[in-house]
Amino acid sequence: MTLLWLESSLPMVRIDRNHPASLQRQIYDLIREAILGGALAPGTRIPSTRSLAAELGIARITASNAFDQLIAEGYLETRKGDGTYVGRTLPDDLLALPEDPRLGTRVRPPQLPSHRGQALERLWDQGVYQKAGLRPFQMDAPALDAFPFELWGRLESRHLDRSAAMNLAYCDPAGHPPLREAIAAHLRAHRAMACDPGQIIITHGSRQALNLAAQVLLDPGDAAWIEDPVCPDARTAFTCAGAHLVPVPVDEQGLDVAQGEALAPGARLAYVTPSHQFPLGVTLSLSRRLELLDWAFRAQAWIVEDDFDGEFRYAGKPLASLHGLDRQARVIYLGTFSRALFPGLRLGYMVVPQDLAKAFRSARALADRGSSLVPQMALTDFFNEGHFQRHLRRMRIVYGERRNVLVEAIRQSLGHLLSVRVPDSGLDLVADLEAGSGDVALVRQLARGGIKLIALSSLYQRTPSRSGLVFGFAGFPERSLRAGIGRMVELLGEPG
Amino acid sequence: MTLLWLESSLPMVRIDRNHPASLQRQIYDLIREAILGGALAPGTRIPSTRSLAAELGIARITASNAFDQLIAEGYLETRKGDGTYVGRTLPDDLLALPEDPRLGTRVRPPQLPSHRGQALERLWDQGVYQKAGLRPFQMDAPALDAFPFELWGRLESRHLDRSAAMNLAYCDPAGHPPLREAIAAHLRAHRAMACDPGQIIITHGSRQALNLAAQVLLDPGDAAWIEDPVCPDARTAFTCAGAHLVPVPVDEQGLDVAQGEALAPGARLAYVTPSHQFPLGVTLSLSRRLELLDWAFRAQAWIVEDDFDGEFRYAGKPLASLHGLDRQARVIYLGTFSRALFPGLRLGYMVVPQDLAKAFRSARALADRGSSLVPQMALTDFFNEGHFQRHLRRMRIVYGERRNVLVEAIRQSLGHLLSVRVPDSGLDLVADLEAGSGDVALVRQLARGGIKLIALSSLYQRTPSRSGLVFGFAGFPERSLRAGIGRMVELLGEPG
């Protein structure tokens, strides 16, 4: 370590040859801090790079590179034939900084973010988004152990050679056109949906799709039907758009359209999960589908069909979508690849009416200019080469087995407490608690022991709630499901 | 083709063995349409699968699979020992559909989207987001011909094997933690920024970062300073958040802080591009930086520092950021990888004050749950293995040469019309037009000939505007730049 006073005007300059920062950077930092801290006043003459280098025993080029940077940034200035000075035009009074600037001392309390920013902070505090690993029986993950990642890697790298480079500039914000064609073909063939690629908007998944729908369809104060109970994501997205939420009860036929009309006939939007209602798992009946479409037509309202689990039906083929029944272009259909492929992919899509395509494309462009391109290209091949259908077929078998194992384990070990029906679709199931047991307290108790469930009653808004536990089973091999139930038995044996 | 009447109740059923849809699907579709179209009334008895199969000459399993699906969806119902019927509970009056349902005939005019949705449509119509390939001298693309895509492909596929599978569930919405560490280390080492990984939020690029900043920091009606002239993206993001925009003139020292204070001393936010003002290319001087920070401290306002071209300085190192001077945690710093790497990657980042980290993480989670994971992992390696610095060094040389070629070509061939200075940073430059020439008309004339420029005057809001042309040069090899100027000469020789 070298320790010096440099002429009278310069503060102590410490150069440490073992410091990770380069010598040039150390000189730059020290002079900059001396100016900003007021130790070197505007107009002060600075020694030449030659004498600085000599005193510090360093190469002159090192000192002069540091000076060049300080000159470029306005800290120093040169006068022809007259050496280097601290910039004269620097506002003297602004150079006095609070003590210990390195600690970022704040002498006034920070200004708060916007009201929306404060609401977002509260959401964070409520734990709405926090995730900590994957514990049984979280619902976030599909069977990552069964995804063909090596194949996927090959599909991605195919598009990463020089010949493909020119495709990697900005693309259509609505998504890679061949991917939109592949999705449209899939929906036509497998979900009875007549749509063309121009109606498809690629998203970063359902949550973004919900936000785009809320932005494009709802003005602040507009009424929106949501299912009761409902998935928290939908509630959050529509609330953030300033909508007035109208919880509509769900019975064994799905959303009760007549009650929705009684509560808010003039709502602008209805949010539904027709294939597999979350969390109850019921299917929206055909009569209700027709009633809902009829209401939307009469009220000139929109229907947001969130088909997040639509691909996973264990008896027969996936049910036709509500979108496929819609003759009035009232339905906005949301699909995701987080469950069919993997969540880290961050891709999903929406099918929007032709009349709204421009507004949705614009909203998507404004949000973030579109999704990452290489994953979109790989997904296109995954569809076009038949992997998607093959993977779904395999996964339906895997998930059907996981579902059976979970139901059996619950019945065997927790049958005295929980009653459960075998769901015929979806990646989660509800087990009802004996009357009188509080699901919220139970879920909290189990969480302390590493078991992650959702209390059914916490998903209700207004309707008298059922008490139960929502289990996700897709992300866990059969032995983990059994072990999870074993752990529950253990925890429930302990004094709460 | 088989053509039949099935008993008295069923309409004509056409089965086409050459049709791309399976026989099962054809039967399903025909019966479903007959029910929805009213040809088959609720309660009508349907022939058995056995007789249907016999009449059509198909396997019975085909017919019975089609029936199962129709039963599952509620179109048909079975009664024990009594065959199959059209669902009795279907609401009779809802089954009458408008004519030619396949064409989606709309008998009422569609309801309009929300006011925001309508504004988004207008933005689209104004061509704000439209992109049509890459023509000289568009500014959207870096030198895609010089990016190491093969290396990138290897880095991506490294993370796509079975062992990595468990990492591919949902990740931290603020971004892959090792990537945030790598970026923080880069900023500490190369941009004089003291920040820790907890302050870094990975985004889909600058546009998303601008939206997040607008949401978290601005309430509707809040005043926000923007540079005049300004990049349209920033204007759009703040406008969409309902902010009242205050254009503040830019001179050769950058944003005129004193004028900003005179116009709107109580603004909540100032948007600046200090390293390379867009479009003028000037650097915000050190005095102005200090004045701006001082104002933000006194007004308790935020500064959004958009450093989109900060890495590209041709003389010496990149300039230190405004963020590095900030001792009061007023600066939100935006960086992008669209220019340093490639736009199709859709990754960028922001560095936010500790106090705001929670609100920004929450906003990011709400928007779309975070970015695609595999590209984030590849980018982490790209940093940690030294490729990022190496690539930037190479690109500074490539871009410096492209800049020189463009300036020389303009001076040689268009010197009578345009005057241009060699910019010392950035991937674009401004050429001033001779007084009296209208840049908007000129840009329109050149666009018809395949040359894409921006009229400088169109980027001004309020300040008396300069007339000039904004050229992007990064995306074009030297021969394309020369050819583009040649084409301009040709076009300008033709009668406008």
Side-chain angles (χ1 to χ4, degrees):
Chain A
M1 189 158 76
T2 319
L3 205 75
L4 292 172
W5 280 97
L6 269 178
E7 304 190 9
S8 59
S9 60
L10 263 190
M12 193 161 50
V13 173
R14 282 194 195 82
I15 296 290
D16 179 354
R17 288 180 190 278
N18 299 318
H19 195 280
S22 67
L23 295 175
Q24 176 184 329
R25 176 63 189 275
Q26 290 183 54
I27 295 168
Y28 164 88
D29 279 345
L30 287 161
I31 296 179
R32 181 170 172 274
E33 288 301 329
I35 295 171
L36 291 173
L40 281 174
T44 310
R45 193 172 200 276
I46 296 289
S48 69
T49 54
R50 186 191 305 270
S51 65
L52 182 67
E55 288 203 52
L56 294 175
I58 59 173
R60 190 178 167 196
I61 182 79
T62 305
S64 88
N65 283 343
F67 274 43
D68 285 350
Q69 184 75 8
L70 290 161
I71 291 165
E73 294 186 0
Y75 293 94
L76 301 181
E77 56 189 39
T78 50
R79 296 180 215 158
K80 238 178 195 157
D82 187 31
T84 307
Y85 292 79
V86 176
R88 263 178 210 273
T89 58
L90 296 181
D92 225 350
D93 53 326
L94 298 186
L95 291 170
L97 290 167
E99 287 182 0
D100 200 353
R102 290 192 172 278
L103 296 177
T105 316
R106 196 177 304 101
V107 283
R108 286 199 205 181
Q111 187 204 49
L112 292 172
S114 66
H115 289 104
R116 186 186 167 99
Q118 293 172 47
L120 287 163
E121 279 183 351
R122 284 191 296 274
L123 275 177
W124 189 264
D125 286 334
Q126 287 158 21
V128 176
Y129 310 123
Q130 265 136 336
K131 306 282 167 198
L134 193 62
R135 284 174 300 168
F137 296 90
Q138 255 176 273
M139 282 176 309
D140 292 331
L144 294 173
D145 52 322
F147 186 77
F149 283 107
E150 277 145 35
L151 164 68
W152 187 264
R154 283 198 303 279
L155 297 183
E156 288 218 356
S157 40
R158 212 186 253 181
H159 297 285
L160 284 161
D161 63 11
R162 193 161 294 275
S163 66
M166 280 309 164
N167 296 322
L168 294 169
Y170 290 107
C171 92
D172 188 330
H176 186 49
L179 175 58
R180 289 152 70 202
E181 279 166 33
I183 292 173
H186 166 75
L187 295 175
R188 275 193 300 270
H190 298 280
R191 310 304 308 275
M193 286 169 64
C195 63
D196 75 65
Q199 293 174 263
I200 293 185
I201 314 278
I202 303 294
T203 68
H204 287 297
S206 300
R207 194 177 277 170
Q208 180 172 48
L210 286 168
N211 283 313
L212 296 178
Q215 280 170 29
V216 169
L217 304 175
L218 294 175
D219 280 314
D222 282 350
W225 297 2
I226 54 168
E227 296 173 321
D228 195 14
V230 74
C231 158
D233 265 22
R235 199 171 57 199
T236 309
F238 297 127
T239 304
C240 285
H244 164 62
L245 299 193
V246 180
V248 177
V250 172
D251 61 21
E252 69 290 346
Q253 284 200 67
L255 183 95
D256 188 333
V257 179
Q259 288 214 43
E261 281 210 66
L263 289 164
R268 301 295 293 253
L269 182 149
Y271 170 80
V272 283
T273 52
S275 299
H276 175 84
Q277 202 274 337
F278 180 83
L280 299 179
V282 297
T283 302
L284 190 64
S285 74
L286 183 59
S287 328
R288 291 278 176 84
R289 287 173 192 236
L290 295 167
E291 281 174 45
L292 183 61
L293 287 165
D294 181 62
W295 164 75
F297 177 57
R298 286 183 284 109
Q300 290 285 287
W302 311 104
I303 299 170
V304 174
E305 175 180 26
D306 190 347
D307 199 29
F308 65 100
D309 264 356
E311 310 280 9
F312 298 106
R313 186 157 172 269
Y314 305 111
K317 301 204 170 212
L319 299 182
S321 63
L322 188 57
H323 187 282
L325 271 178
D326 174 23
R327 297 292 189 268
Q328 308 296 339
R330 310 313 307 165
V331 175
I332 291 90
Y333 175 93
L334 316 188
T336 177
F337 297 110
S338 292
R339 289 172 168 242
L341 287 99
F342 58 100
L345 181 61
R346 309 300 318 117
L347 286 177
Y349 60 95
M350 52 204 311
V351 184
V352 306
Q354 295 280 16
D355 289 318
L356 295 177
K358 203 158 60 175
F360 274 102
R361 276 199 291 264
S362 182
R364 182 73 173 94
L366 175 67
D368 54 27
R369 287 183 98 145
S371 289
S372 194
L373 204 46
V374 176
Q376 291 190 70
M377 290 169 163
L379 182 54
T380 309
D381 294 352
F382 200 74
F383 268 108
N384 292 343
E385 295 170 22
H387 302 299
F388 188 77
Q389 277 307 314
R390 256 195 301 282
H391 181 62
L392 280 187
R393 273 199 299 274
R394 278 184 53 220
M395 296 320 292
R396 278 187 209 115
I397 295 168
V398 169
Y399 293 145
E401 283 163 3
R402 291 185 180 184
R403 170 199 62 165
N404 293 342
V405 166
L406 177 62
V407 168
E408 202 180 274
I410 292 174
R411 284 180 179 162
Q412 269 185 4
S413 310
L414 294 166
H416 56 291
L417 192 68
L418 295 170
S419 71
V420 61
R421 277 193 297 185
V422 180
D424 61 3
S425 65
L427 306 184
D428 49 71
L429 57 82
V430 169
D432 283 286
L433 269 168
E434 291 300 300
S437 324
D439 54 1
V440 174
L442 190 62
V443 163
R444 210 171 289 146
Q445 183 196 342
L446 293 167
R448 285 192 294 269
I451 297 294
K452 206 147 175 202
L453 295 160
I454 296 176
L456 178 57
S457 69
S458 71
L459 301 172
Y460 280 88
Q461 314 285 296
R462 197 181 287 168
T463 314
S465 60
R466 270 163 65 181
S467 180
L469 303 176
V470 189
F471 289 79
F473 53 79
F476 309 96
E478 300 174 10
R479 63 176 185 288
S480 310
L481 293 169
R482 286 200 194 90
I485 296 297
R487 176 83 180 122
M488 278 178 73
V489 171
E490 226 175 277
L491 290 165
L492 295 173
E494 292 169 8
Chain B
M1 188 158 77
T2 317
L3 204 73
L4 293 172
W5 279 98
L6 269 177
E7 306 188 7
S8 58
S9 60
L10 263 189
M12 194 162 48
V13 172
R14 282 194 196 83
I15 296 290
D16 180 355
R17 289 180 189 276
N18 299 318
H19 195 279
S22 66
L23 295 175
Q24 176 184 328
R25 174 63 189 275
Q26 291 182 56
I27 295 169
Y28 164 87
D29 279 346
L30 287 161
I31 297 180
R32 180 170 172 274
E33 289 301 329
I35 295 171
L36 291 173
L40 280 175
T44 309
R45 193 172 200 275
I46 297 288
S48 69
T49 54
R50 187 191 305 268
S51 66
L52 182 66
E55 289 203 52
L56 295 175
I58 59 174
R60 190 177 166 197
I61 182 79
T62 305
S64 89
N65 282 344
F67 274 42
D68 285 349
Q69 184 77 7
L70 290 161
I71 291 166
E73 295 186 358
Y75 292 94
L76 301 182
E77 57 190 36
T78 50
R79 295 179 218 160
K80 237 175 198 161
D82 188 32
T84 307
Y85 292 81
V86 175
R88 261 176 212 272
T89 58
L90 296 180
D92 225 351
D93 53 325
L94 299 184
L95 292 169
L97 290 166
E99 286 183 2
D100 199 352
R102 292 195 170 274
L103 295 176
T105 316
R106 199 178 301 102
V107 282
R108 287 199 204 180
Q111 187 205 50
L112 293 172
S114 66
H115 289 104
R116 186 186 168 98
Q118 293 172 49
L120 287 163
E121 278 183 351
R122 285 192 296 274
L123 275 176
W124 190 264
D125 286 334
Q126 287 159 20
V128 176
Y129 311 123
Q130 264 136 338
K131 306 281 167 201
L134 193 61
R135 285 175 298 169
F137 297 90
Q138 255 176 275
M139 281 178 311
D140 290 332
L144 293 173
D145 52 322
F147 186 78
F149 283 106
E150 277 145 35
L151 163 68
W152 187 264
R154 282 199 303 280
L155 297 183
E156 289 217 357
S157 40
R158 213 187 253 180
H159 298 285
L160 284 162
D161 63 10
R162 193 161 294 274
S163 66
M166 279 308 162
N167 296 322
L168 294 170
Y170 291 108
C171 91
D172 188 329
H176 186 48
L179 175 58
R180 290 151 70 202
E181 279 166 33
I183 293 173
H186 166 75
L187 295 174
R188 275 193 300 270
H190 298 281
R191 311 304 309 275
M193 285 169 65
C195 64
D196 74 65
Q199 292 173 264
I200 293 186
I201 314 279
I202 302 295
T203 67
H204 287 297
S206 301
R207 193 177 278 171
Q208 181 173 45
L210 286 168
N211 283 314
L212 295 178
Q215 280 170 29
V216 170
L217 305 175
L218 294 175
D219 281 314
D222 282 349
W225 296 3
I226 55 168
E227 297 174 320
D228 194 15
V230 74
C231 159
D233 264 21
R235 200 171 56 200
T236 308
F238 297 126
T239 304
C240 286
H244 164 63
L245 298 193
V246 180
V248 177
V250 172
D251 60 21
E252 69 289 345
Q253 285 200 67
L255 182 95
D256 189 333
V257 180
Q259 288 213 44
E261 281 210 64
L263 289 164
R268 301 296 293 252
L269 181 151
Y271 170 80
V272 284
T273 52
S275 299
H276 175 84
Q277 203 274 336
F278 181 83
L280 300 178
V282 297
T283 302
L284 190 64
S285 73
L286 183 58
S287 329
R288 290 278 176 84
R289 287 173 192 237
L290 294 168
E291 280 173 47
L292 183 61
L293 287 166
D294 181 62
W295 164 76
F297 176 56
R298 285 183 285 108
Q300 291 284 289
W302 310 105
I303 299 169
V304 174
E305 173 179 25
D306 190 346
D307 199 29
F308 65 100
D309 264 356
E311 310 278 9
F312 297 105
R313 188 157 171 268
Y314 305 110
K317 301 202 170 216
L319 299 182
S321 64
L322 188 57
H323 186 282
L325 272 178
D326 174 22
R327 297 292 187 270
Q328 308 295 339
R330 310 314 305 166
V331 175
I332 290 88
Y333 176 93
L334 315 188
T336 177
F337 297 110
S338 292
R339 288 170 170 243
L341 286 97
F342 59 101
L345 181 60
R346 309 302 317 116
L347 287 176
Y349 61 95
M350 53 203 311
V351 184
V352 305
Q354 296 279 15
D355 290 319
L356 294 177
K358 204 158 62 177
F360 273 102
R361 275 199 291 262
S362 182
R364 181 71 172 94
L366 175 67
D368 55 26
R369 287 185 97 147
S371 288
S372 194
L373 205 48
V374 176
Q376 291 191 70
M377 290 169 162
L379 182 53
T380 309
D381 295 350
F382 200 74
F383 269 109
N384 292 342
E385 295 169 21
H387 301 301
F388 188 77
Q389 277 306 314
R390 257 196 300 281
H391 182 62
L392 280 187
R393 274 198 299 274
R394 278 183 53 220
M395 296 320 292
R396 279 187 207 112
I397 296 169
V398 169
Y399 293 145
E401 283 164 3
R402 290 185 180 184
R403 168 199 64 165
N404 293 341
V405 166
L406 177 61
V407 168
E408 202 180 275
I410 292 174
R411 283 179 179 161
Q412 269 182 7
S413 309
L414 293 166
H416 57 291
L417 191 69
L418 295 169
S419 71
V420 61
R421 277 193 297 184
V422 180
D424 60 3
S425 65
L427 306 184
D428 50 71
L429 57 81
V430 169
D432 283 286
L433 269 169
E434 292 298 302
S437 323
D439 54 1
V440 174
L442 190 62
V443 163
R444 209 171 291 147
Q445 182 196 344
L446 293 168
R448 286 192 294 268
I451 297 292
K452 204 144 178 205
L453 295 159
I454 296 176
L456 178 57
S457 69
S458 70
L459 301 172
Y460 280 88
Q461 313 288 294
R462 197 182 287 168
T463 315
S465 61
R466 271 162 65 181
S467 180
L469 303 176
V470 189
F471 290 78
F473 53 79
F476 308 96
E478 300 174 10
R479 62 175 186 288
S480 309
L481 293 169
R482 287 201 192 88
I485 296 297
R487 177 82 181 124
M488 278 179 73
V489 171
E490 226 176 276
L491 290 166
L492 294 172
E494 291 168 8

